[in-house]
């Protein structure tokens, strides 16, 4: 008997062309193509079309990264998006059939702000490249990060950061901080939070685990993109990024493990509770 899963992909890119959505769709498609699994994914353009899924219709939700400030701007999609996040929390509190959510970068920042779990501030400079991500003690034992080195590497692209967490609020949600950014011993700045397990079913990351090495390499080898990176960050940064993309121990491992494992664990929990009477 095949198990059926319905995945909603929330596109938070505001119409800006990017590689992230291609990667999320690819990972979701690969999950649904496995033996014994069937289902579908649908895409919702949150920031351009004010589209949001009805949580009754889906089991798993992946909310993408996106450009711009995560600070509340009063745009028409914001309140419905925050209601969506709250509706998942409420559903999971009172139902056996849990809903599972993975929040990436911009979506992660929005959730942290909305639930008032930490401060989200503008960085002194953009963090861009393939960066080391360090596990906390909680991260070292969390099943999501099993098999990854400490530190592991991930694509990082952000002008904002999550800092000064309210650890009590996070713990009261049933959550924990899983990762922090690279150590900078020569700079007296707080290390930003890179991943939070908000609850058993809801996970958020500041980096881009969806990024695949082959696609990113094609993307960054484009003449206009290469010129942009070299002009803004220098040729040394560009060469380092391309070297890391060619390293199987860097983002290839992150791409293969994190979101696929989230989907697999979500599927296991859904099946365990699918036929539990309310």
């Amino acid at each position: 008997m095949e198990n059926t899963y319905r995945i909603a992909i929330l596109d938070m890119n505001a119409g800006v062309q990017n590689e992230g959505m291609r990667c999320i769709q690819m990972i979701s498609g690969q999950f649904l193509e496995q033996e014994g699994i069937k289902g579908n994914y649908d895409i919702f353009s949150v920031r351009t079309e004010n589209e949001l899924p009805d949580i009754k219709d889906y089991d798993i939700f992946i909310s993408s990264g996106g450009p711009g400030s995560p600070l509340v701007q009063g745009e028409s999609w914001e309140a419905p998006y925050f209601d969506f996040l709250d509706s998942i929390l409420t559903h999971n509190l009172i139902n056996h059939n849990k809903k599972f959510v993975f929040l990436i970068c911009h979506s992660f920042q929005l959730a942290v702000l909305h639930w008032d779990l930490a401060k989200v501030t503008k960085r002194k400079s953009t963090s861009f490249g393939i960066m080391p991500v360090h596990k906390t003690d909680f991260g070292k034992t969390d099943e999501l990060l099993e098999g990854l080195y400490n530190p592991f590497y991930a694509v990082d692209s952000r002008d904002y950061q999550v800092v000064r967490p309210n650890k009590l609020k996070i713990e009261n949600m049933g959550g924990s901080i899983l990762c922090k950014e690279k150590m900078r011993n020569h700079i007296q700045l707080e290390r930003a939070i890179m991943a939070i397990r908000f609850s058993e079913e809801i996970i958020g990351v500041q980096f881009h685990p969806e990024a695949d090495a082959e696609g990113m390499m094609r993307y960054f080898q484009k003449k206009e993109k290469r010129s942009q990176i070299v002009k803004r960050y220098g040729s040394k940064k560009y060469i380092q990024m391309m070297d890391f993309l060619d390293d199987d121990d860097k983002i290839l491992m992150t791409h293969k493990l994190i979101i696929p494992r989230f989907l697999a664990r979500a599927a296991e929990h859904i099946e365990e509770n699918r036929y539990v009477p309310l």
Side-chain angles (χ1 to χ4, degrees):
M1 176 178 167
E2 290 184 316
N3 298 318
T4 302
Y5 304 98
R6 300 159 299 172
I7 302 172
I9 300 173
L10 281 62
D11 183 353
M12 302 293 286
N13 288 283
V16 176
Q17 186 177 5
N18 69 98
E19 285 289 292
M21 283 297 294
R22 177 189 64 80
C23 294
I24 293 169
Q25 291 176 71
M26 179 177 69
I27 293 170
S28 300
Q30 289 171 345
F31 167 73
L32 294 170
E33 288 169 1
Q34 294 178 88
E35 185 176 352
I37 290 176
K38 65 178 182 178
N40 66 285
Y41 67 78
D42 295 314
I43 299 171
F44 296 83
S45 298
V46 178
R47 295 170 68 183
T48 54
E49 304 295 333
N50 288 341
E51 295 176 344
L52 282 165
D54 188 326
I55 69 167
K56 296 192 304 294
D57 297 333
Y58 297 90
D59 309 297
I60 301 169
F61 305 82
I62 302 175
S63 192
S64 80
S69 170
L71 305 179
V72 173
Q73 308 290 316
E75 296 184 29
S76 59
W77 61 268
E78 290 173 347
Y81 183 77
F82 295 142
D83 287 344
F84 160 78
L85 293 177
D86 288 339
S87 69
I88 297 286
L89 281 182
T90 301
H91 173 94
N92 286 345
L93 282 173
I94 61 177
N95 289 280
H96 289 290
N97 60 326
K98 310 296 186 186
K99 306 291 183 176
F100 291 80
V101 183
F102 196 94
L103 303 161
I104 300 171
C105 199
H106 193 83
S107 298
F108 169 65
Q109 294 167 349
L110 288 168
V112 167
L113 276 172
H114 177 59
W115 290 326
D116 193 27
L117 301 178
K119 300 297 181 185
V120 178
T121 63
K122 195 165 180 27
R123 288 177 52 86
K124 289 184 179 297
S125 61
T126 301
S127 180
F128 178 80
I130 298 170
M131 302 293 191
V133 180
H134 293 258
K135 301 179 189 179
T136 64
D137 288 342
F138 286 110
K140 291 174 185 176
T141 60
D142 194 283
E143 63 179 2
L144 182 76
L145 304 178
E146 280 180 18
L148 291 171
Y149 298 125
N150 191 25
F152 62 93
Y153 283 78
V155 172
D156 194 10
S157 179
R158 59 193 165 92
D159 292 314
Y160 290 81
Q161 60 185 355
V162 174
V163 292
R164 300 194 292 281
N166 187 324
K167 293 181 181 179
L168 182 59
K169 279 191 173 183
I170 294 171
E171 290 171 6
N172 286 341
M173 284 184 72
S176 56
I177 296 169
L178 301 183
C179 301
K180 291 186 176 182
E181 69 179 345
K182 66 180 181 180
M183 297 177 183
R184 297 174 293 177
N185 296 329
H186 58 293
I187 300 176
Q188 296 302 309
L189 292 174
E190 183 180 0
R191 291 167 65 202
I193 295 163
M194 297 299 284
I196 295 175
R197 179 178 286 282
F198 297 102
S199 69
E200 185 67 27
E201 303 85 18
I202 305 173
I203 296 165
V205 300
Q206 180 67 88
F207 52 90
H208 288 272
E210 76 276 19
D212 70 315
E214 183 180 344
M216 295 297 289
M217 189 169 284
R218 282 199 310 270
Y219 183 64
F220 288 133
Q221 283 176 335
K222 292 180 179 178
K223 184 177 179 180
E224 67 276 12
K225 198 64 187 175
R226 182 173 66 245
S227 298
Q228 288 173 9
I229 295 169
V230 170
K231 182 177 180 180
R232 186 168 181 183
Y233 303 104
S235 58
K236 185 177 179 181
K237 167 72 76 173
Y238 180 79
I239 292 169
Q240 181 198 59
M241 277 181 39
M242 299 307 285
D243 286 344
F244 281 2
L245 286 171
D246 204 31
D247 186 338
D248 288 352
D249 286 340
K250 296 293 191 297
I251 74 163
L252 178 63
M253 187 178 291
T254 303
H255 169 80
K256 283 185 171 181
L257 289 181
I258 292 184
I259 298 180
R261 179 170 290 147
F262 161 77
L263 290 169
R265 296 294 182 267
E268 288 175 11
H269 287 289
I270 289 166
E271 287 312 308
E272 286 173 6
N273 293 282
R274 181 162 284 187
Y275 302 110
V276 174
L278 295 177

